Amino acid sequence: MNTESFVKMLLHGAKYPHCAVNGLFVQKKTKSKNNQNENGGSPAIQIVDCIPLFHINMTLLPMLELALHQIEAYCKEENLAICGYYHMHSNLRDEKPDAFIYKLMERLEENSDGKTLLFMVDNNKLGFEEEGPPPFTVYEFRDGKLVTCNSSMKVEESAVETAITAIEDKKHYQLVDFDNHLDNISLDWRNLSILS
């Protein structure tokens, strides 16, 4: 996962610490769904961007469908593909996927060019320690079930330091998610210059 994606995800949570937040990760589009790496397995996912979705209307299907439609059109234009979904619960003790997340992951997996990962952010691990594992658990679909697969996900070394600096600089107040965009369509949900 690149630094910008990691930082945007954390900025989304920092902007709305009292709410559950969610969003999508995208990667450069691969040639085919059956593309394999040199070992014959699934190709590694290289997350290149994060798109914050909601902090209010998380389970409101018309809003979600509208957001997915716009994001899929953007991805097609930019030769990107949705490769992941992140979710931060509002409750500190709640860190497992619920029924809504499972259904959304099913839909994303059906429409993906490869595998789609779920990142469940553990709010208790957001202490911004530069050493140690990332503050999320990664899941993937296997045989119709979500199973953990943390060992393969790496975050760029500069990501934690960049996230700390961005929050100290109050960049999270500049972040735009789809709820903000739907309130004011002049706000850009892509957040292209958030770390500039």
Side-chain angles (χ1 to χ4, degrees):
M1 177 183 300
N2 71 1
T3 297
E4 187 172 356
S5 302
F6 182 77
V7 172
K8 282 183 185 180
M9 175 182 67
L10 295 183
L11 289 177
H12 196 199
K15 185 173 182 178
Y16 302 105
H18 57 290
C19 298
V21 297
N22 65 358
L24 297 172
F25 291 117
V26 296
Q27 68 177 345
K28 291 285 183 192
K29 197 166 198 134
T30 57
K31 293 178 183 156
S32 74
K33 189 168 185 152
N34 297 322
N35 193 16
Q36 294 183 335
N37 66 16
E38 59 274 359
N39 300 327
S42 297
I45 290 179
Q46 299 291 324
I47 297 171
V48 298
D49 202 3
C50 170
I51 301 170
L53 287 175
F54 302 110
H55 65 276
I56 299 172
N57 299 316
M58 204 160 299
T59 60
L60 197 56
L61 290 180
M63 301 303 181
L64 181 60
E65 287 297 325
L66 175 66
L68 288 174
H69 180 72
Q70 283 190 334
I71 292 166
E72 287 167 350
Y74 167 72
C75 286
K76 186 176 182 181
E77 185 178 295
E78 299 294 323
N79 198 34
L80 299 170
I82 295 171
C83 64
Y85 170 78
Y86 72 86
H87 188 93
M88 289 183 206
H89 286 294
S90 58
N91 184 339
L92 287 175
R93 292 184 200 99
D94 198 358
E95 59 190 62
K96 300 287 183 198
D98 57 25
F100 170 76
I101 294 169
Y102 183 85
K103 286 291 188 190
L104 178 60
M105 286 300 297
E106 270 186 327
R107 185 213 186 269
L108 293 174
E109 185 77 11
E110 287 170 5
N111 296 325
S112 76
D113 288 337
K115 72 178 163 185
T116 305
L117 300 178
L118 166 63
F119 296 77
M120 290 298 300
V121 180
D122 184 346
N123 295 322
N124 292 308
K125 293 181 182 174
L126 291 177
F128 294 110
E129 297 167 7
E130 292 193 39
E131 300 293 323
F136 47 73
T137 303
V138 183
Y139 294 83
E140 68 178 329
F141 259 109
R142 278 193 218 141
D143 301 322
K145 296 179 182 175
L146 285 170
V147 295
T148 59
C149 62
N150 261 2
S151 60
S152 62
M153 183 49 60
K154 292 183 175 55
V155 177
E156 288 181 352
E157 287 183 27
S158 63
V160 174
E161 185 178 323
T162 304
I164 292 168
T165 302
I167 289 173
E168 287 173 350
D169 292 344
K170 300 192 181 338
K171 295 278 189 181
H172 51 292
Y173 295 118
Q174 299 170 20
L175 185 102
V176 175
D177 66 10
F178 253 88
D179 277 327
N180 303 133
H181 174 72
L182 293 172
D183 286 340
N184 178 353
I185 61 169
S186 69
L187 298 176
D188 188 0
W189 51 266
R190 298 172 301 165
N191 295 290
L192 296 175
S193 60
I194 192 80
L195 295 180
S196 300

